[in-house]
Amino acid sequence: MGGKEIMIHDSALGPHQEILTARATDKKILGKAQDGGIVTALLVYALEKNIIDGTIVAGDGKEAWKPEPIVATTKKEILKSSGTKYTMCPNLAMVKEATRRYGLEKMGIVGTPCQIMGVRKMQAYPMGLRHVTDKIALIAGIYCMENFPYDSLKAFIQDKANTTPEKVVKMDISKGKLFIRTSDDETAIPIKQTHGYEQSGCRYCMDYVAELSDVSCGSVGAKPGWSTVIKRTDVGCSLVDSAVEDGVLEVTETNTGKFGLEMLRKLATNKKKQRVKNVDKALDLGLEVPFTRSDLKEDILENR
Amino acid sequence: MFDKLKNMIKSEENTKTSSTKLSSGKKLKIGYIHLSGCTGDLMSFTENYDELADLLDAVDIVYGQTLVDCWEMPEMDIVLIEGSVCLEDEHSVKELKEARDKSKLLVALGSCACTGGFTVYSKGGQRAQPQHSSFLALQRLVKVDMAIPGCPPSPQIIKKVILAAVNSDMDYLAPFMKFTENQDACGCDLQKRIINQSICIGCGACAAACPTRAMTMKDGRPSFNCDRCVKCGLCYYQCTRSWWPIDQIKKEMGLE
């Protein structure tokens, strides 16, 4: 396993070597994690195999559903942080701290596509990161359409679901809806109604599937309780392959059809097409957006 | 400028390939000038000595206060300048102007040289030179070809810049030429050039880059304590959204 396959260049889904559908086998992880528990399972596995000695994750903050970045160095800490929180968590703020206060030599990082872009930029141009970037060992990405400021999230919870953040046990975006679950109730808000609540920076983001990560995953394209896993770099491929081999992840057949990979590709493509228009508009207004005008791009789907 | 640098670095490359033949005698002449800075940039540079020993063999360090016994500034291919320039110190001003005249490529190394850094806080009245009160980024007085920010720039970036120069990788160096357009820096840049432009995504890269914890994250946005800011510019340069070097990233990930 871990043999080098050929990198597939794909401007909608990003460069990757293989896409598979999988879930964690550990029931404890599945109970707590978002979909297939892939990120949690891979991080715990990487920790146990000494591929990483700790990882930056979105941990619990002082307020319910308002995460703060933490450095997890044990399985318990990683498990405690599992599950998606639909608001910003500045994970990159911890990269220096992780190598200093926590002394990590082999750091794992979990992030949204934009955060993964930031990590790769840090690696390419580490002006202000003395002895940090050489300690990054694993970069795991999660799919992301957009992110919400905490107050937007609170508006959904309080005004639409008529409850409080403390009472919410799970939030989930699937089938075009944002589900807010309490112990005895469930509210579904159509995603269309959440538009206008997302943070403005997301309007220019052309990455849906964390194209620059080592491995990225999310629920889209997989049946409930499973995740679509995109193996990208050799680091990501060998980690996933050995996790499958050791029974940490189980793999099922990948649906390549309308509700499978076609759906994933459609969402990624739609995001890019919409965002590239926003970039053009912002540039027309004279804003300092770091991306290229659509008419100057060879491939408008490309993240540049 | 671009062509000038390209040609010069080409000649450096030739030097490198022929460096085994010492008789060729065409080594790149490098100078290091220390103006108003703390020597942190030089210390960061020296952390690379082990890895760069071979490279340092291929160049001639022809000028530098603590490096070479030379009082008359010679002609130089590249001069690295650390520290800002003090207007009340006539030697600093003269040395900077002379360095511009005698060098093909003038590189501002570190934030004091690039943006003034923390020396912009000076108002004079300090011992032992109370009259020294006005400190400026180098490009306020002379044309600067490349600016490498950092307080200090990490050993990793210094190494990458040197290797890019040796390999004629102009694409990698291009951002540092662009950075010379900024004559000053402040944590406020994050507010003005990122948040106010509606492009902040709350990733936290700025807070990680800040050497003084002037930048922290609150409610998914940078929160800036001006009293702690040393005006190094790292929060802006390291921001995910300030500029986007996708080609370099792809190159380093082997995705081209």
Side-chain angles (χ1 to χ4, degrees):
Chain A
M1 295 293 265
K4 284 176 192 174
E5 292 179 49
I6 293 164
M7 188 69 84
I8 301 160
H9 292 272
D10 181 324
S11 57
L13 300 179
H16 63 270
Q17 302 189 30
E18 196 190 356
I19 300 179
L20 45 87
T21 305
R23 71 175 176 197
T25 51
D26 188 333
K27 292 282 173 296
K28 238 189 190 164
I29 293 177
L30 282 178
K32 176 98 197 336
Q34 195 69 15
D35 300 294
I38 303 294
V39 173
T40 307
L42 285 179
L43 290 176
V44 169
Y45 180 72
L47 190 70
E48 282 167 354
K49 290 286 169 187
N50 208 17
I51 295 164
I52 57 173
D53 53 11
T55 180
I56 302 173
V57 293
D60 291 332
K62 289 183 196 95
E63 290 175 74
W65 295 97
K66 188 178 184 182
E68 275 171 25
I70 62 161
V71 177
T73 54
T74 62
K75 178 179 177 179
K76 207 175 153 188
E77 287 169 331
I78 294 173
L79 270 172
K80 199 163 176 288
S81 307
S82 65
T84 307
K85 296 96 180 171
Y86 292 97
T87 185
M88 288 96 78
C89 183
N91 284 9
L92 302 194
M94 289 298 280
V95 288
K96 204 190 271 171
E97 192 87 347
T99 64
R100 308 289 200 271
R101 184 141 65 98
Y102 296 86
L104 298 194
E105 294 285 335
K106 290 174 282 185
M107 189 198 318
I109 299 176
V110 184
T112 53
C114 58
Q115 292 178 328
I116 307 304
M117 287 166 70
V119 178
R120 292 302 184 192
K121 178 173 168 180
M122 285 176 179
Q123 288 179 318
Y125 287 92
M127 276 90 65
L129 297 153
R130 181 172 180 271
H131 303 317
V132 172
T133 45
D134 46 341
K135 298 186 173 64
I136 296 171
L138 176 65
I139 301 174
I142 44 184
Y143 306 164
C144 176
M145 190 56 80
E146 64 226 341
N147 207 346
F148 300 106
Y150 185 64
D151 274 302
S152 298
L153 211 56
K154 255 165 107 176
F156 304 149
I157 293 170
Q158 290 172 345
D159 304 344
K160 309 239 176 197
N162 292 313
T163 183
T164 59
E166 291 76 20
K167 288 188 182 152
V168 174
V169 293
K170 186 153 182 169
M171 274 188 259
D172 187 27
I173 292 179
S174 63
K175 301 190 180 76
K177 292 192 181 79
L178 168 65
F179 291 93
I180 298 175
R181 288 190 190 107
T182 59
S183 58
D184 56 1
D185 197 17
E186 179 180 283
T187 308
I189 307 167
I191 283 295
K192 273 189 183 150
Q193 287 183 25
T194 68
H195 290 324
Y197 286 89
E198 64 273 24
Q199 67 169 342
S200 60
C202 298
R203 290 204 307 259
Y204 313 111
C205 175
M206 269 166 293
D207 188 348
Y208 176 55
V209 285
E211 297 172 15
L212 299 171
S213 61
D214 289 319
V215 52
S216 66
C217 59
S219 64
V220 175
K223 53 194 174 187
W226 295 76
S227 299
T228 306
V229 182
I230 307 184
K231 290 156 63 181
R232 298 183 181 281
T233 64
D234 291 343
V235 169
C237 286
S238 78
L239 178 68
V240 173
D241 289 347
S242 46
V244 171
E245 197 170 305
D246 288 348
V248 169
L249 299 182
E250 58 173 318
V251 178
T252 186
E253 203 181 328
T254 295
N255 174 2
T256 54
K258 199 176 161 196
F259 297 105
L261 294 188
E262 265 182 45
M263 169 82 87
L264 185 66
R265 180 173 296 280
K266 193 178 123 193
L267 289 184
T269 308
N270 287 353
K271 175 173 180 175
K272 284 162 179 279
K273 282 185 175 165
Q274 179 201 16
R275 306 303 160 89
V276 85
K277 280 185 201 155
N278 294 341
V279 168
D280 284 353
K281 266 188 226 162
L283 290 171
D284 283 344
L285 272 176
L287 298 182
E288 292 184 34
V289 177
F291 303 118
T292 312
R293 294 191 73 90
S294 59
D295 52 1
L296 299 174
K297 283 165 85 167
E298 270 176 45
D299 179 348
I300 65 154
L301 299 186
E302 217 191 339
N303 182 17
R304 69 164 63 234
Chain B
M1 166 57 221
F2 194 82
D3 290 335
K4 191 173 82 177
L5 185 56
K6 205 166 184 174
N7 289 336
M8 205 184 61
I9 282 167
K10 280 257 170 62
S11 74
E12 177 179 6
E13 193 183 37
N14 298 338
T15 311
K16 197 196 165 210
T17 48
S18 63
S19 66
T20 42
K21 283 184 272 171
L22 282 171
S23 56
S24 72
K26 202 168 179 280
K27 286 184 175 183
L28 207 63
K29 296 192 185 84
I30 309 250
Y32 195 99
I33 293 176
H34 196 308
L35 298 180
S36 300
C38 69
T39 322
D41 307 316
L42 183 62
M43 286 172 71
S44 195
F45 180 80
T46 56
E47 280 194 54
N48 287 305
Y49 267 2
D50 284 349
E51 287 165 88
L52 296 179
D54 292 341
L55 188 71
L56 291 173
D57 252 1
V59 300
D60 259 337
I61 297 179
V62 294
Y63 189 68
Q65 214 170 29
T66 53
L67 304 170
V68 188
D69 185 16
C70 171
W71 290 81
E72 194 74 29
M73 192 186 295
E75 295 286 328
M76 299 167 285
D77 294 311
I78 299 178
V79 61
L80 304 170
I81 305 187
E82 165 175 1
S84 57
V85 55
C86 174
L87 296 181
E88 290 82 10
D89 177 14
E90 60 175 300
H91 297 290
S92 288
V93 177
K94 183 172 164 279
E95 201 171 20
L96 176 61
K97 296 264 187 196
E98 191 178 352
R100 177 69 280 182
D101 288 341
K102 292 188 170 170
S103 66
K104 289 182 189 140
L105 184 76
L106 190 149
V107 181
L109 181 66
S111 286
C112 285
C114 298
T115 62
F118 86 109
T119 66
V120 301
Y121 282 115
S122 173
K123 296 170 185 169
Q126 73 285 335
R127 288 182 186 174
Q129 297 281 4
Q131 78 283 20
H132 285 189
S133 60
S134 320
F135 295 81
L136 292 172
L138 306 184
Q139 61 267 41
R140 298 257 182 191
L141 298 192
V142 297
K143 166 104 174 63
V144 172
D145 300 313
M146 278 210 294
I148 303 168
C151 189
S154 70
Q156 287 76 23
I157 197 73
I158 295 176
K159 183 181 161 193
K160 292 186 86 157
V161 165
I162 292 173
L163 291 178
V166 166
N167 295 321
S168 314
D169 186 352
M170 299 311 299
D171 296 329
Y172 187 80
L173 298 176
F176 300 106
M177 299 178 200
K178 183 97 179 131
F179 294 166
T180 62
E181 291 167 16
N182 295 335
Q183 298 192 331
D184 44 38
C186 177
C188 302
D189 295 346
L190 263 282
Q191 180 69 41
K192 291 188 283 191
R193 302 184 68 180
I194 305 296
I195 300 172
N196 292 1
Q197 304 288 318
S198 80
I199 56 176
C200 179
I201 32 107
C203 66
C206 50
C210 179
T212 63
R213 298 180 200 231
M215 197 63 74
T216 51
M217 296 300 289
K218 191 171 179 291
D219 298 327
R221 286 289 173 267
S223 170
F224 175 52
N225 176 354
C226 193
D227 290 344
R228 296 188 77 115
C229 180
V230 290
K231 315 291 184 192
C232 67
L234 285 174
C235 52
Y236 176 76
Y237 293 122
Q238 210 78 68
C239 166
T240 304
R241 284 290 180 83
S242 54
W243 50 288
W244 177 230
I246 183 64
D247 290 318
Q248 290 308 312
I249 289 168
K250 280 187 163 174
K251 202 170 184 180
E252 294 195 12
M253 290 178 72
L255 293 175
E256 281 185 318

